[in-house]
Amino acid sequence: MVYGLSSIVGRFLNYLLVPVYTYHMSAASGGYGVVTNVYAYTALLLVILTFGMETTFFYYSNREGVDRRRVFSTALTAVGSVAALFVVLVMSFIGPISAAMGYADHPEYLQVMAIVVALDAFQAILFARLRQEGHAWKFFALKMAFILLTVALTLFVFLAAPRWSHLSWMGWYDESHQVAYIFFINLFCTAIVTFGFWRELRDYHISSFDPALLKQMLRYAWPLLLFGIVGIFNQVADKILLPWLLPGDEGRVQLGIYGACVKIAMLMALITQAFRYAYEPFVFGGQRDKHSKETQALATKYFIMFTLLAFLAVMAYIDLFKYFVGPDYRSALQAVPIVMMAEILMGIYFNLSFWYKLTGQTWWGAVMSTIGCIVLVAVNIAFVPRIGYMACAWGGLAGYGVCVLLSYFIGQRKNPVPYPVAEIAFYFLLALALFALMHYLPIANTSLRLVVNTLLLAVYVGVVLWRERTLVAPVVNRLKSFIHK
């Protein structure tokens, strides 16, 4: 619960910055499109620079007879060395790189974010160490420190600084540099958080680096690297490809509009990430439990039930959620339900992925994710020039849909898990039917539409509580007992 809280609360506070950006940066300027594009590249680079070492660290730390400190030192040395080399290369070739990416006038954007992504990769192993040792509250504190500091500095730059710009000590402020300020704030906050790992870094010893162990870890990790690259590319490909497929200012403007509205759909990404933080160590730690497959099946079912509830909640109150972004960004609200459903499929794909992780056949993940990525890219290339950012939303849905189907049918042959498919299908059909009613009922009055949507949302909750009453009853009884005491 603590891991989930740190993820949901932390990223939720970070998402609260989107209104700050979109109400103070016009869509026509393309500034938010630049931010969206650069962060898409950094997300992809983070996966490359960590090259599957987080999951590999968990896998080897839970093996019998393995020195956990040696595993930690080996993983941290490998990731830290690659990250440092990356920064050196970017700084050495910043001219050609910035020109190729369309930022020849602002190479500092890429220089700053190169350092940020290198620090993030280094910290990824340190955060994994905290999770592996069960230091949930320190994990929470460091994540929240980064977010709260970022929020405070961003509010200062976008809200306070313009009002105080006439003061002599504010001579550094220039409203035309808002995009650069966003990246520099990220760098500062990331660097500060690194000092919070002094205790974990004290446990690190270069002498514990084990080349033989690293070779074993890399054999396990390289398919995860391919899987991770393809997986993250599935998430950011639209934000990378759109400016290429719609060159010039139009591409960045559309990307900014689409990227802002997609943040509303990222509620689903919060839930999935929180689930992953808590669930991945749990599955690896309990892989010898004879009931582990039944647990995986139930967890997948409840994950789907809850994410469908979140989907319906956002759709029910989309008339309120639209104020999350500035007025000139709201034309992309039609993409939100498609992107949210794609995020649900991504979460299901993560749940289905344990069959090849637990059996060591991680290369299957790379194969399936590559196929899904090809589908996504093909949809984007074929339709972005015709329908713009809506092709990005449909491409993500198609790509993850293919991944889910492949992982389920191949997994059931390689390492079958008794997923309650009929029950899951029922909840999907129920949620989609209720969404159709929310979307297509001809109710012009906003207040009345919100009331009707609330009733439809209550129908879903009521059906879930009734069908899952054997699960709910013990929880209710415990609450009653607690209140009585």
Side-chain angles (χ1 to χ4, degrees):
M1 188 174 71
V2 175
Y3 289 127
L5 186 65
S6 66
S7 177
I8 291 177
V9 174
R11 291 189 67 178
F12 177 73
L13 289 175
N14 195 27
Y15 285 147
L16 289 181
L17 296 179
V18 175
V20 177
Y21 299 148
T22 57
Y23 277 87
H24 292 83
M25 299 169 66
S26 69
S29 71
Y32 194 68
V34 172
V35 174
T36 303
N37 182 241
V38 172
Y39 275 118
Y41 278 107
T42 57
L44 177 62
L45 287 168
L46 180 60
V47 172
I48 295 173
L49 295 181
T50 53
F51 50 95
M53 273 293 163
E54 286 179 276
T55 300
T56 303
F57 171 75
F58 284 125
Y59 181 78
Y60 276 87
S61 294
N62 284 288
R63 298 184 69 180
E64 294 182 4
V66 172
D67 183 350
R68 290 184 174 180
R69 178 173 292 183
R70 188 172 295 274
V71 174
F72 169 65
S73 296
T74 300
L76 191 62
T77 300
V79 172
S81 300
V82 171
L85 177 62
F86 167 76
V87 172
V88 171
L89 291 174
V90 170
M91 297 303 173
S92 301
F93 300 99
I94 188 60
I97 292 173
S98 58
M101 294 178 62
Y103 297 108
D105 295 335
H106 295 284
E108 69 276 10
Y109 295 171
L110 306 184
Q111 290 173 314
V112 169
M113 293 311 295
I115 300 174
V116 168
V117 75
L119 288 173
D120 281 341
F122 186 71
Q123 290 180 10
I125 304 302
L126 297 171
F127 276 117
R129 176 72 181 271
L130 294 179
R131 292 164 59 197
Q132 193 269 326
E133 293 187 338
H135 295 161
W137 286 110
K138 183 171 183 178
F139 183 100
F140 174 83
L142 291 177
K143 289 287 186 181
M144 290 301 298
F146 172 81
I147 294 299
L148 292 176
L149 188 57
T150 300
V151 170
L153 291 176
T154 302
L155 292 178
F156 171 76
V157 167
F158 280 85
L159 301 183
R163 299 180 180 181
W164 299 344
S165 59
H166 63 283
L167 301 177
S168 58
W169 60 276
M170 288 292 294
W172 56 270
Y173 178 77
D174 186 338
E175 190 171 351
S176 64
H177 295 162
Q178 289 177 325
V179 174
Y181 294 148
I182 292 172
F183 296 143
F184 276 104
I185 288 171
N186 195 337
L187 174 60
F188 176 77
C189 297
T190 302
I192 291 296
V193 168
T194 305
F195 292 103
F197 290 104
W198 65 271
R199 188 180 298 275
E200 286 68 33
L201 291 172
R202 193 174 61 181
D203 291 339
Y204 166 77
H205 299 286
I206 188 64
S207 59
S208 297
F209 174 73
D210 187 340
L213 175 61
L214 179 60
K215 289 181 180 179
Q216 297 178 36
M217 295 175 75
L218 289 176
R219 279 196 295 269
Y220 181 86
W222 77 262
L224 290 177
L225 169 60
L226 296 178
F227 169 67
I229 290 174
V230 176
I232 195 66
F233 194 70
N234 280 334
Q235 297 180 49
V236 302
D238 49 358
K239 302 168 188 68
I240 292 175
L241 292 173
L242 199 151
W244 292 96
L245 298 171
L246 291 177
D249 293 337
E250 177 63 18
R252 289 182 181 174
V253 170
Q254 282 211 26
L255 179 58
I257 294 171
Y258 173 70
C261 283
V262 161
K263 289 293 186 181
I264 299 175
M266 288 300 102
L267 171 66
M268 207 62 70
L270 296 182
I271 297 171
T272 302
Q273 184 178 0
F275 181 81
R276 177 179 177 177
Y277 276 146
Y279 192 53
E280 192 170 45
F282 172 76
V283 172
F284 279 108
Q287 58 185 293
R288 289 182 291 274
D289 184 354
K290 65 179 181 179
H291 300 298
S292 62
K293 289 188 177 182
E294 287 74 11
T295 302
Q296 289 179 48
L298 286 175
T300 300
K301 171 187 168 183
Y302 296 136
F303 170 81
I304 292 171
M305 287 163 45
F306 186 77
T307 51
L308 288 173
L309 173 62
F311 168 78
L312 288 174
V314 173
M315 293 302 100
Y317 303 112
I318 195 66
D319 289 315
L320 302 178
F321 277 105
K322 69 180 182 181
Y323 295 106
F324 182 74
V325 298
D328 50 346
Y329 289 85
R330 294 172 192 166
S331 58
L333 286 173
Q334 57 186 325
V336 172
I338 303 168
V339 175
M340 287 197 77
M341 193 56 66
E343 290 290 337
I344 293 177
L345 293 179
M346 184 185 71
I348 297 172
Y349 182 42
F350 167 76
N351 276 272
L352 298 177
S353 70
F354 284 105
W355 70 263
Y356 60 78
K357 290 181 180 178
L358 293 174
T359 59
Q361 302 179 62
T362 49
W363 59 272
W364 271 112
V367 171
M368 291 182 292
S369 294
T370 299
I371 295 173
C373 186
I374 291 172
V375 172
L376 181 150
V377 171
V379 172
N380 275 263
I381 292 175
F383 295 104
V384 163
R386 303 180 186 180
I387 60 175
Y389 54 73
M390 286 302 296
C392 298
W394 285 111
L397 185 67
Y400 283 122
V402 169
C403 288
V404 167
L405 293 175
L406 288 174
S407 188
Y408 174 76
F409 287 110
I410 297 174
Q412 291 303 93
R413 295 190 62 181
K414 298 289 184 179
N415 189 32
V417 174
Y419 295 108
V421 177
E423 295 181 57
I424 290 172
F426 171 80
Y427 287 122
F428 258 109
L429 292 174
L430 174 63
L432 291 175
L434 293 172
F435 165 67
L437 290 174
M438 293 177 183
H439 189 69
Y440 292 109
L441 283 177
I443 304 175
N445 183 276
T446 301
S447 298
L448 179 58
R449 186 163 59 248
L450 290 173
V451 171
V452 172
N453 288 352
T454 301
L455 294 175
L456 293 172
L457 183 62
V459 170
Y460 179 84
V461 174
V463 171
V464 168
L465 292 177
W466 173 253
R467 289 177 62 89
E468 306 299 327
R469 55 190 179 279
T470 56
L471 171 71
V472 175
V475 177
V476 173
N477 290 334
R478 288 192 180 192
L479 286 175
K480 287 181 179 179
S481 176
F482 176 78
I483 294 172
H484 178 71
K485 289 179 180 180

